[in-house]
């Protein structure tokens, strides 16, 4: 068997997960190959032209704080910026930006081309080579074999991809791009359980055929907020988005075509995401709604393509055309690319370790839609974590995982591996137990020290992070020291005063004429720390309590079947996985809170000490 | 302890014709085989199907009763252990004999609630159901038994489980606004405030129902009071249908109190006969009156007797006033005798108290009296609300209430949604302890079911 090349890490698929993974491994010193079907479609935004939003914007900031690239790139290529939930508190504000799609793709490619240790390679992977349940390399359709110590698989919707437009369907990974059929077969052979998911994308219209004055413009923010703390350049809004509505006539047309819908006729068996419902879904589920809102979003500066956010559909093209005719302003609109639905294979994510390594095959990592998620940001976050851990494993270093109280990334991965998914998984802020802690104004505080230690944050960036921390701390001290007399004649520290719901920190600082020189971003950070202080303190205590429980050791000789109150399934799982701490036990799929309590009580009764836990049994740690 | 095989009578004694003795544990079948002989000689004991046979006293070497034996092999049993049920005549003598012999044959008497404990420890039921079973065992009345049974079926019907939905709805409204700021949602802070207020009200109702639940668990106590010689003991005896209390034509006959259980329809009442509450003629009587007053003040209800063959007196009115804050039924007794009392006048004074004319001696209107008692003290639970029986449930509800009220306070003060929703989120684990767990997915599901969101 001949191998043409040898790498530390091979990343399969150059989507949002793959790019982030490859960037991380190569930056951490791994000789990396990023292999993809077309080099032209690196970091292609397959669906909407936007990045961020609630929870997703949080993810991008966390990726950035760890040293990932998505945030920098979104800032670099953004053409419309908004900070969502400005009327609400800092914990639920999040940036959302539209990018110039072509620019995003091209910029990513040129950035990756400049990354040391990283090779881009065009090819179609047909097989993952395994020896003794451990990664050996890959084989491509072109007949090449590449050796690798670790493989990160990020195939998006390409595994067994099947596109539906009306009752017509054809295999594809994305419109007119070949699906990965052999690889999908190969995964099953390896022993990974897969299931079908479904997603969809709306039609793209020719901007010259839209009557724009029939729609309400939605401008970007006057003071655009960047994703990345490292972005220096001034952000500019270069386009407007527009808001429009469907009509009762639209809904009648959709009703007429339902028998031609692959969704409603039962042709599509994969489960679709409910937060990205197709227009036919919305009309059927909410028949009393007279209209549904949609957004018209230009896909870039150099293109006429316009994304119709809100009218995703897998109805036949003639239905799509009729739908447009029923909407004032779009009645003359020309479809450049039809809307379609796509079904694809995903791997049951409960087969993964918390590091995103598969339990079945050593050094095989999975990230992105293959793990049952949806969204560019969710993909990128997993790509980054898979990349970091692949590099750490090869270096024989301790794995890197984030807890639910540390980052949305922790919430995301923990949900995936312990609960599994039933529909494409999207992150929501309500999935986090400690939402007031996981804000967009403090990911650097939470994660940048990790990123620095991992080698993903440069000296220079780390220094400016530390300077910012110092500057902010000074302001905090000042606010705690300085007093103010309120209208009701009580004397309060400024800190306490700002806790009142009607008080704004900005106004206090201006009123007191402080020369603190905080950026808007830093101002928001300090304000959140003050306003949420009571909750944060209580939550910290709670977190400490839970961590203590999580660290309770499980003796090696524990017979889990003897623990009262556990269902047989749970006991059997525990027997199989043999977790070494309650924290590890909690990460076992299907472990209920009640089962955890039972286990804890049992251990308290036993009160014996056990060995030190490590996340995955195959990790081989050199130093600590 | 779990290694033992346990035995107990499983039907409450004195309930209907059939009695059941249950065994649970590894040696259930061997033990049962010693005291049971199939009708058909040498018949094999089938699983889960009753087999007819005779109970055998292996000490006296004699058969003493016909019985059915059912063997339930583990793990598909209530305790997840091997179980045997012996059903035979419900006479306490026979049932106790079966238990005695089973113990001789190697079983151990089950502790109260031990079957349920085993079911819980073996993962068969959750703690909430376990509590319900224990109530079933201790149920004073059939009505309560029925309620416990409903809980046991995992069907904490009505309000407690709808509480979960209400909390879910409260959360999903707020979360929808937070997660989907760009969508036009049919929700508002005002609507949230209304949902919240309704939720708070239903929790308060549930908390209040605890007192009633307690009354049902411990039974309803009714004190029969009135002046001396009005016919209290006669009524006591007639209601019980036995000559329990001494009756004489002389006032001051009953000196200490007597208490007995009366069954009516699906409920059990404790009746108390006591000394007349008039002016004492004797020191012993004085003590009796003191006790009587105390008992009456602790009772759940009062049956206040007046003798209509005498003219109304200031003493009568004094008693009516004494019990005006209690649930009282005013009884005009001795209607078989010529009437001297101005009952209209008395009724006017008694105002809202329900009244009835009876003859304790002749039994006139006693059926009506029982019906009135039942209607007044046993709420109609089918259409009425859920009742909570446990201190634990009450405490959890109070904790939930505290968070909701705190959140309401923050909402009214103008705090932002992500702040006040924190208070509501704290109720999630508490709800989980009360009914089914709420997972973050459930909230998200609820959002998508109620609101048309997503692009
Ligand atoms: N005719 C008639 N006589 C009654 C009736 N109820 C009670 N009596 C008589 O009234 C007398 C007193 O009855 P008790 O039942 O002993 O009265 P009591 O209230 O218990 O009296 P003390 O225990 O002395 O307070 C007895 O002679 C009863 O037979 C009734 O409904 N009709
Ligand atoms: Mg008497």
């Amino acid at each position: 068997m001949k191998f043409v090349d040898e790498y530390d890490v091979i990343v399969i698929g150059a989507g949002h997960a793959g790019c982030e993974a490859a960037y991380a491994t190569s930056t951490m010193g791994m000789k990396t190959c990023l292999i993809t079907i077309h080099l032209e479609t690196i970091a292609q935004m397959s669906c909407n032209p936007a990045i961020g939003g609630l929870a997703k914007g949080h993810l991008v900031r966390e990726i950035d704080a760890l040293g990932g690239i998505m945030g920098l790139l979104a800032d670099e290529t953004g053409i419309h910026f908004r900070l969502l939930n400005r009327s609400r508190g800092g914990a639920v504000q999040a940036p959302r930006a539209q990018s110039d799609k072509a620019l995003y793709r091209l910029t990513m490619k040129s950035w990756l081309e400049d990354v040391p240790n990283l090779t881009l390679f065009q090819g179609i992977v047909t097989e993952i080579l395994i020896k003794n349940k451990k990664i050996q390399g890959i084989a491509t359709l072109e007949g090449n074999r590449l050796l690798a110590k670790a493989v990160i698989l990020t195939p998006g919707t390409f595994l067994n991809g099947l596109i539906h437009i009306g009752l017509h369907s054809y295999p594809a990974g994305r419109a007119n791009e070949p699906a990965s059929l052999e690889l999908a077969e190969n995964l099953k052979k390896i022993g990974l359980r897969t299931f079908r998911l479904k997603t969809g994308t709306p039609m793209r219209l020719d901007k010259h055929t839209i009557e724009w004055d029939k729609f309400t413009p939605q401008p970007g923010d006057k003071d655009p907020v960047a994703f990345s703390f490292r972005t220096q350049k001034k952000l500019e809004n270069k386009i407007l988005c527009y808001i429009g509505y469907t009509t009762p006539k639209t809904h009648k047309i959709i009703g007429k075509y339902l028998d031609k819908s692959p969704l409603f006729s039962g042709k599509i068996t994969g489960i679709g995401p409910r937060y990205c419902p197709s227009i036919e879904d919305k009309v059927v589920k909410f028949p009393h709604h007279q209209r549904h809102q949609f957004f018209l979003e230009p896909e870039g500066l150099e293109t006429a393509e316009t994304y119709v956010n809100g009218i995703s559909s897998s109805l036949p093209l003639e239905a799509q055309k009729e739908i447009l005719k029923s909407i004032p302003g779009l009645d003359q609109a020309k479809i450049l690319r039809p809307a379609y639905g796509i079904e694809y294979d995903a791997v049951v994510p409960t087969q993964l370790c918390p590091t995103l390594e598969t339990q079945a095959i050593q050094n095989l990592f999975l990230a992105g839609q293959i793990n049952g998620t949806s969204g560019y940001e969710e993909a990128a976050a997993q790509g980054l974590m898979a990349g970091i851990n692949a590099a750490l494993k090869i270096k024989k270093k301790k794995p890197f995982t984030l807890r639910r109280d540390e980052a949305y990334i922790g919430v995301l991965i923990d949900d995936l591996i312990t609960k599994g998914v039933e529909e494409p998984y999207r992150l929501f802020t309500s999935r986090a137990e400690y939402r007031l802690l996981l804000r967009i104004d403090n990911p650097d505080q939470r994660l940048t020290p990790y990123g620095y230690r991992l080698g993903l944050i440069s000296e220079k960036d780390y220094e400016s992070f530390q300077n910012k921390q110092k500057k902010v701390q000074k302001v905090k001290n000042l606010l705690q020291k300085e007093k103010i007399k309120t209208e009701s004649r009580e004397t309060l520290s400024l800190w306490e005063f700002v806790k009142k719901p009607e008080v704004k920190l900005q106004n206090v600082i201006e009123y007191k004429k402080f020369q603190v020189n905080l950026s808007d971003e830093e101002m928001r950070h300090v304000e959140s720390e003050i306003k949420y202080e009571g909750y944060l303190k209580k939550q910290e205590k709670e977190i400490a309590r839970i961590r203590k429980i999580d660290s309770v050791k499980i003796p090696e000789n524990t017979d889990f079947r003897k623990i009262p109150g556990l269902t047989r399934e749970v006991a059997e799982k525990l027997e199989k996985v043999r977790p070494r701490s309650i924290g590890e036990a909690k990460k076992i799929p299907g472990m209920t809170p009640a089962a955890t309590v039972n286990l804890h009580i049992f251990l308290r009764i036993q009160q014996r000490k056990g060995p030190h836990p490590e996340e995955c049994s195959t990790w081989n740690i050199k130093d600590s | 302890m779990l290694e033992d095989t346990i035995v107990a009578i499983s039907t409450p004694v004195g309930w209907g014709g059939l009695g059941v003795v249950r065994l649970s544990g590894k040696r259930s079948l061997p033990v049962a085989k010693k005291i049971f002989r199939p009708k058909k000689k040498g018949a094999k004991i089938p699983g889960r199907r009753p087999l007819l046979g005779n109970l055998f006293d292996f000490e006296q070497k004699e058969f003493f009763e016909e019985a059915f034996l059912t063997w339930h092999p583990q793990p598909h049993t209530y305790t997840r252990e091997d179980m045997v049920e012996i059903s035979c005549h419900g006479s306490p003598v026979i049932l106790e004999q079966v238990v005695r012999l089973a113990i001789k044959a190697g079983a151990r008497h089950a502790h109260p609630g031990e079957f349920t404990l085993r079911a819980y420890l073996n993962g068969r039921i959750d703690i909430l159901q376990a509590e319900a079973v224990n109530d079933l065992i201790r149920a004073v009345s059939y009505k309560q038994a029925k309620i416990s049974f409903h809980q046991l079926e995992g069907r904490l019907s009505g309000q407690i489980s709808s509480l979960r939905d209400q909390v879910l709805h409260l959360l999903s409204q707020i979360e929808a606004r937070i997660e989907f700021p760009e969508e036009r949602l049919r929700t508002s802070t005002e609507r949230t405030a209304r949902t919240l207020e309704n939720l708070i009200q239903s929790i308060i109702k549930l908390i209040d129902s605890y007192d009633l639940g307690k009354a049902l668990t411990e039974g309803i106590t009714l004190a029969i009071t009135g002046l001396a010689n009005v016919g209290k003991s006669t009524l006591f005896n007639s209601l019980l249908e036995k000559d329990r209390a001494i009756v004489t034509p002389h006032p001051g006959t009953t000196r200490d109190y007597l208490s007995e259980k009366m069954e009516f329809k699906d409920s059990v009442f404790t009746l108390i006969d006591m000394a007349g509450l008039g002016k004492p003629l004797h020191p012993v009587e004085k003590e009796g009156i003191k006790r009587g007053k105390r008992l009456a003040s602790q009772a759940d209800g009062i049956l206040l007797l007046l003798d209509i063959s005498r003219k109304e007196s200031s003493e009568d009115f004094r008693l009516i006033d004494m019990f005006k804050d209690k649930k009282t039924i005013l009884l005009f007794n001795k209607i078989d005798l010529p009437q001297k009392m101005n009952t209209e006048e008395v009724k006017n004074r008694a105002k809202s108290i329900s009244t009835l004319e009876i003859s304790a001696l002749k039994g006139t209107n006693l059926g009506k009296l029982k019906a009135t008692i039942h209607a007044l003290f046993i709420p109609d639970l089918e259409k009425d609300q859920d009742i909570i029986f446990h201190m634990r449930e009450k405490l959890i509800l109070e904790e939930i209430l505290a968070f909701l009220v705190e959140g309401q306070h923050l909402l009214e003060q103008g705090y932002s949604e992500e702040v006040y929703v924190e208070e509501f989120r704290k109720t999630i684990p508490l709800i989980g302890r009360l009914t089914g767990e709420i997972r973050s997915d459930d909230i998200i599901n609820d959002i998508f079911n109620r609101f048309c969101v997503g692009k």
Side-chain angles (χ1 to χ4, degrees):
Chain A
M1 219 180 287
K2 248 181 56 204
F3 291 91
V4 288
D5 258 317
E6 189 178 339
Y7 291 97
D8 291 321
V9 179
I10 293 176
V11 180
I12 306 171
H16 305 283
C19 290
E20 208 69 62
Y23 175 80
T25 54
S26 45
T27 307
M28 287 170 76
M30 297 290 105
K31 188 181 171 207
T32 304
C33 174
L34 176 58
I35 181 165
T36 191
I37 297 177
H38 289 299
L39 287 182
E40 285 74 26
T41 52
I42 286 180
Q44 169 77 288
M45 300 168 104
S46 326
C47 196
N48 68 336
I51 285 178
L54 264 284
K56 291 163 169 281
H58 289 79
L59 275 181
V60 179
R61 285 230 162 160
E62 290 180 353
I63 293 168
D64 184 65
L66 281 170
I69 45 177
M70 181 175 245
L72 278 170
L73 190 58
D75 290 339
E76 179 66 29
T77 58
I79 50 178
H80 186 272
F81 297 88
R82 290 183 62 211
L83 183 67
L84 303 184
N85 267 339
R86 275 191 193 257
S87 66
R88 297 185 171 88
V92 293
Q93 293 179 0
R96 177 187 187 274
Q98 255 174 258
S99 279
D100 182 317
K101 273 189 171 182
L103 200 58
Y104 191 92
R105 172 159 63 72
L106 293 170
T107 311
M108 179 68 97
K109 183 162 177 260
S110 83
W111 282 8
L112 292 183
E113 282 165 352
D114 287 345
V115 173
N117 303 325
L118 179 59
T119 308
L120 302 182
F121 189 61
Q122 182 163 301
I124 295 179
V125 177
T126 49
E127 199 183 342
I128 293 169
L129 305 173
I130 290 159
K131 207 172 172 182
N132 300 331
K133 301 242 155 218
K134 194 171 175 181
I135 281 293
Q136 190 191 24
I138 57 153
T140 71
L141 188 66
E142 299 82 0
N144 297 318
R145 285 167 172 269
L146 308 179
L147 269 180
K149 295 186 183 122
V151 166
I152 303 174
L153 180 59
T154 65
T157 56
F158 279 65
L159 284 183
N160 254 337
L162 185 66
I163 284 185
H164 297 264
I165 302 181
L167 297 180
H168 180 71
S169 56
Y170 68 99
R174 198 157 41 203
N176 310 325
E177 291 180 55
S180 300
L181 305 176
E182 295 89 345
L183 193 55
E185 266 320 297
N186 181 228
L187 283 190
K188 281 181 201 159
K189 231 185 263 157
I190 287 174
L192 292 172
R193 268 178 300 126
T194 60
F195 65 116
R196 286 302 257 178
L197 288 175
K198 180 253 161 190
T199 188
T201 193
M203 62 275 261
R204 316 297 201 269
L205 304 178
D206 180 350
K207 78 170 176 193
H208 305 298
T209 60
I210 297 171
E211 287 173 76
W212 292 96
D213 52 2
K214 295 261 166 71
F215 300 94
T216 318
Q218 191 196 34
D221 287 346
K222 278 195 232 41
D223 51 338
V225 171
F227 283 103
S228 174
F229 291 113
R230 296 172 285 170
T231 291
Q232 302 291 337
K233 83 167 200 181
K234 196 167 152 30
L235 304 179
E236 249 182 276
N237 292 302
K238 295 176 182 160
I239 53 152
L240 289 173
C241 289
Y242 291 83
I243 299 173
Y245 296 94
T246 59
T247 64
K249 208 172 145 201
T250 318
H251 306 169
K252 220 180 261 158
I253 294 164
I254 289 167
K256 196 176 76 186
Y257 277 102
L258 279 184
D259 61 332
K260 301 226 167 44
S261 150
L263 264 182
F264 290 92
S265 66
K267 190 158 181 242
I268 291 184
T269 52
I271 304 158
R274 276 164 311 164
Y275 43 80
C276 268
S278 61
I279 186 69
E280 47 270 30
D281 271 330
K282 292 192 215 176
V283 169
V284 169
K285 199 161 167 206
F286 297 93
H288 50 285
H289 285 203
Q290 292 298 305
R291 58 180 201 173
H292 293 280
Q293 185 181 255
F294 63 84
F295 294 82
L296 294 173
E297 301 174 342
E299 292 214 327
L301 300 178
E302 311 288 337
T303 174
E305 289 192 55
T306 304
Y307 183 90
V308 192
N309 198 343
I311 312 193
S312 141
S313 174
S314 46
L315 291 176
L317 187 57
E318 66 263 32
Q320 298 183 24
K321 282 187 163 165
E322 252 187 83
I323 288 172
L324 292 180
K325 286 225 159 49
S326 71
I327 300 168
L330 296 183
D331 40 347
Q332 300 299 317
K334 286 239 157 60
I335 295 177
L336 296 176
R337 298 176 201 241
Y340 63 83
I342 181 165
E343 278 186 289
Y344 56 97
D345 280 3
V347 168
V348 176
T350 53
Q351 303 170 94
L352 299 170
C353 296
T355 51
L356 298 179
E357 184 183 8
T358 60
Q359 290 164 16
I361 308 297
Q362 278 193 56
N363 294 18
L364 173 62
F365 293 78
L366 310 182
Q369 277 167 303
I370 189 173
N371 292 341
T373 60
S374 107
Y376 309 148
E377 305 81 354
E378 284 87 346
Q382 292 171 68
L384 175 63
M385 294 302 280
I388 290 172
N389 279 299
L392 288 174
K393 187 154 189 201
I394 292 169
K395 292 182 183 182
K396 298 194 186 341
K397 292 246 175 84
K398 275 192 178 183
F400 175 67
T401 58
L402 290 165
R403 291 187 314 268
R404 299 182 73 93
D405 58 72
E406 280 182 308
Y408 275 102
I409 297 176
V411 174
L412 165 72
I413 294 177
D414 188 63
D415 276 351
L416 288 181
I417 62 160
T418 62
K419 297 177 192 156
V421 300
E422 272 153 27
E423 64 179 324
Y425 177 102
R426 178 206 199 275
L427 197 60
F428 290 99
T429 65
S430 57
R431 295 198 197 265
E433 290 77 6
Y434 307 102
R435 177 161 59 192
L436 300 186
L437 189 66
L438 307 182
R439 306 186 307 269
I440 58 160
D441 63 72
N442 66 359
D444 48 350
Q445 196 173 301
R446 290 183 274 127
L447 305 174
T448 294
Y450 291 135
Y452 176 65
R453 254 178 279 152
L454 289 166
L456 290 169
I457 294 279
S458 69
E459 288 293 341
K460 196 179 114 261
D461 289 333
Y462 193 57
E463 204 172 295
S464 55
F465 158 71
Q466 285 177 313
N467 289 339
K468 175 189 159 189
Q469 292 300 102
K470 276 183 212 139
K471 184 166 93 178
V472 163
Q473 192 54 49
K474 254 191 216 149
V475 177
K476 287 182 184 170
N477 294 346
L478 181 73
L479 291 169
Q480 268 159 343
K481 211 176 66 207
E482 290 287 323
K483 302 274 185 282
I484 194 169
K485 228 190 203 120
T486 65
E487 280 170 27
S488 52
R489 301 196 162 273
E490 51 175 343
T491 309
L492 286 176
S493 68
L494 291 178
W495 184 276
E496 288 304 317
F497 184 64
V498 174
K499 281 189 179 168
K500 293 178 185 289
E502 67 280 4
V503 179
K504 286 239 176 305
L505 175 62
Q506 178 84 43
N507 299 346
V508 173
I509 286 179
E510 276 164 20
Y511 170 80
K512 282 279 186 177
K513 301 204 170 60
F514 286 144
Q515 295 302 311
V516 292
N517 188 26
L518 285 185
S519 67
D520 290 354
E521 197 66 54
E522 290 156 352
M523 187 78 80
R524 278 194 285 267
H525 168 68
V526 176
E527 185 160 28
S528 288
E529 294 273 293
I530 298 174
K531 296 239 184 237
Y532 297 139
E533 191 192 28
Y535 284 94
L536 296 177
K537 279 195 169 152
K538 268 187 233 155
Q539 293 190 343
E540 261 158 41
K541 267 195 208 146
E542 166 82 2
I543 291 166
R545 193 180 64 83
I546 291 174
R547 261 190 230 174
K548 216 174 124 196
I549 294 175
D550 283 355
S551 68
V552 171
K553 310 266 188 310
I554 302 175
E556 223 165 325
N557 56 356
T558 303
D559 185 350
F560 292 100
R561 282 163 302 208
K562 289 249 167 72
I563 300 176
L566 292 188
T567 64
R568 197 195 294 175
E569 295 106 272
V570 169
E572 270 164 16
K573 272 186 193 148
L574 285 166
E575 273 300 319
K576 206 174 130 219
V577 179
R578 303 213 62 81
R580 279 165 290 178
S581 70
I582 291 202
E584 277 184 43
K586 266 161 76 174
K587 291 207 184 307
I588 296 172
M591 192 75 186
T592 62
T596 310
V597 170
N598 273 324
L599 175 61
H600 186 211
I601 292 171
F602 178 81
L603 292 174
R604 278 225 320 245
I605 295 166
Q606 304 281 308
Q607 291 235 327
R608 268 182 251 147
K609 292 237 149 69
H612 191 271
E614 281 310 332
E615 311 279 326
C616 237
S617 51
T618 63
W619 284 81
N620 187 356
I621 292 149
K622 204 167 59 184
D623 54 354
S624 53
Chain B
M1 190 188 97
L2 283 174
E3 300 297 303
D4 297 348
T5 293
I6 53 172
V7 61
I9 300 170
S10 79
T11 34
V13 180
W15 288 72
L18 211 65
V20 177
V21 171
R22 288 200 294 180
L23 289 142
S24 178
K26 280 197 195 82
R27 290 185 38 78
S28 296
L29 196 59
V31 167
K33 275 182 176 165
K34 284 201 170 171
I35 46 179
F36 177 89
R37 297 289 137 87
K39 270 264 153 72
K40 260 220 264 114
K41 264 223 167 84
K44 271 183 70 180
I45 295 175
R48 282 183 215 95
R49 260 182 301 123
L51 180 69
L52 184 61
N54 286 308
L55 292 171
F56 181 67
D57 183 339
F58 52 82
E59 289 176 326
Q60 306 294 323
K61 306 269 184 269
E62 63 181 25
F63 291 100
F64 63 97
E65 182 64 38
E66 200 168 67
F68 282 102
L69 179 143
T70 321
W71 174 47
H72 301 275
Q74 56 102 2
H76 300 291
T77 68
Y78 180 66
T79 55
R80 291 216 166 151
E81 302 172 334
D82 274 340
M83 288 187 80
V84 168
E85 278 182 10
I86 297 171
S87 36
C88 55
H89 190 273
S91 141
V93 184
I94 290 173
L95 294 173
E96 271 157 32
Q97 171 76 338
V98 175
V99 171
R100 197 181 62 78
L101 288 169
I103 291 170
K104 278 259 150 85
R108 168 168 71 66
H109 213 295
H111 303 302
E114 193 175 353
F115 284 94
T116 306
L117 179 71
R118 289 182 175 208
Y120 169 63
L121 289 178
N122 293 329
R124 166 71 170 67
I125 55 174
D126 67 21
I127 189 77
L128 201 71
Q129 290 174 315
E131 277 187 10
V133 179
N134 267 324
D135 282 348
L136 205 57
I137 294 165
R138 292 184 291 110
V140 174
S141 69
Y142 174 64
K143 183 137 221 159
Q144 202 215 333
K146 224 161 66 182
I147 297 167
S148 297
F149 185 68
H150 282 305
Q151 292 196 349
L152 182 62
E153 282 193 301
R155 207 161 13 102
L156 267 164
S157 58
Q159 296 196 12
I160 289 198
S161 59
S162 91
L163 209 62
R164 182 180 177 279
D165 292 344
Q166 287 184 65
V167 171
L168 200 55
H169 180 38
L170 178 72
L171 288 166
S172 75
Q173 288 181 34
I174 305 167
E175 297 293 358
R177 292 201 295 271
I178 291 175
E179 308 272 12
F180 298 97
E182 299 197 281
E183 310 249 0
R184 331 189 111 249
L185 298 173
R186 301 179 177 199
T187 159
S188 60
T189 316
E190 292 70 43
R191 194 180 274 201
T192 300
R194 278 202 302 278
T195 312
L196 179 58
E197 182 56 31
N198 289 340
L199 178 56
I200 286 177
Q201 286 314 322
S202 42
I203 290 182
I204 289 175
K205 248 201 221 153
L206 272 175
I207 292 175
D208 287 347
S209 80
Y210 174 72
D211 289 341
L212 187 59
K214 199 169 135 237
L216 282 182
T217 327
E218 284 155 25
I220 301 285
T221 305
L222 299 172
I224 303 176
T225 64
L227 299 177
N229 209 39
V230 292
K232 298 184 294 296
S233 300
T234 309
L235 178 65
F236 184 69
N237 288 342
S238 312
L239 287 175
L240 294 174
E241 291 167 36
K242 60 183 169 191
D243 275 339
R244 179 68 181 78
I246 301 164
V247 173
T248 74
H250 312 289
T253 305
T254 312
R255 295 203 168 163
D256 200 356
Y257 75 92
L258 289 167
S259 104
E260 279 290 321
K261 294 225 185 295
M262 169 182 85
E263 278 186 39
F264 179 62
K265 279 198 192 161
D266 50 12
S267 304
V268 179
F269 300 89
T270 305
L271 297 183
I272 298 177
D273 180 28
M274 57 176 75
L277 296 182
K279 286 211 181 73
L281 305 169
H282 190 277
V284 180
E285 222 183 328
K286 198 174 162 185
E287 185 54 35
I289 290 172
K290 224 171 97 188
R291 281 196 191 188
K293 278 188 184 163
R294 198 178 62 232
L295 282 167
S297 73
Q298 286 167 357
D300 298 300
I302 305 287
L303 303 181
L304 180 53
L305 264 71
L306 302 176
D307 181 350
I308 64 150
S309 66
R310 293 190 307 212
K311 261 197 80 61
E312 67 271 21
S313 68
S314 59
E315 287 277 274
D316 290 322
F317 292 123
R318 195 174 56 79
L319 285 187
I320 290 171
D321 282 348
M322 186 189 291
F323 298 117
K324 69 174 186 298
D325 293 332
K326 294 209 72 110
K327 267 193 184 172
T328 304
I329 302 176
L330 193 59
L331 298 171
F332 296 106
N333 190 27
K334 308 193 186 177
I335 53 165
D336 52 306
L337 297 179
Q339 177 170 350
K340 290 213 180 116
M341 183 172 283
N342 182 347
T343 50
E344 283 313 306
E345 169 79 26
V346 177
K347 276 184 194 167
N348 274 341
R349 274 291 285 272
K351 278 200 197 101
S352 56
I353 297 177
S354 64
T355 60
L356 204 64
E357 303 190 335
I358 60 164
S359 167
L361 189 68
K362 302 268 188 275
T364 320
N365 271 350
L366 290 194
K368 225 177 181 176
L369 172 58
K370 286 185 182 178
T372 309
I373 291 172
H374 192 273
L376 206 58
F377 292 96
I378 308 295
D380 190 353
L381 290 164
E382 261 66 52
K383 52 182 186 317
D384 219 331
Q385 70 159 91
D386 260 16
I387 290 182
I388 52 170
F389 288 103
H390 300 285
M391 198 54 172
R392 192 183 73 93
E393 285 168 1
K394 189 187 178 205
L395 291 177
I396 294 175
L397 284 170
E398 280 170 348
E399 253 184 276
I400 293 176
L401 185 65
F403 288 134
L404 294 178
V405 170
E406 175 64 22
Q408 189 177 42
H409 183 67
L410 292 175
L411 186 152
E412 282 163 2
Q413 280 192 300
Y415 279 91
S416 174
E417 278 149 334
E418 82 281 2
V419 175
Y420 64 74
V421 79
E422 280 301 310
E423 297 297 332
F424 305 147
R425 278 157 61 108
K426 286 183 200 159
T427 66
I428 293 175
L430 294 168
I431 292 281
R433 279 158 60 190
L434 212 53
T435 66
E437 221 179 293
I438 295 183
R439 300 164 308 146
S440 73
D441 261 345
D442 296 333
I443 299 172
I444 291 159
N445 283 348
D446 202 57
I447 293 179
F448 290 112
N449 288 335
R450 284 178 203 278
F451 306 105
C452 182
V453 288
K455 292 179 283 198

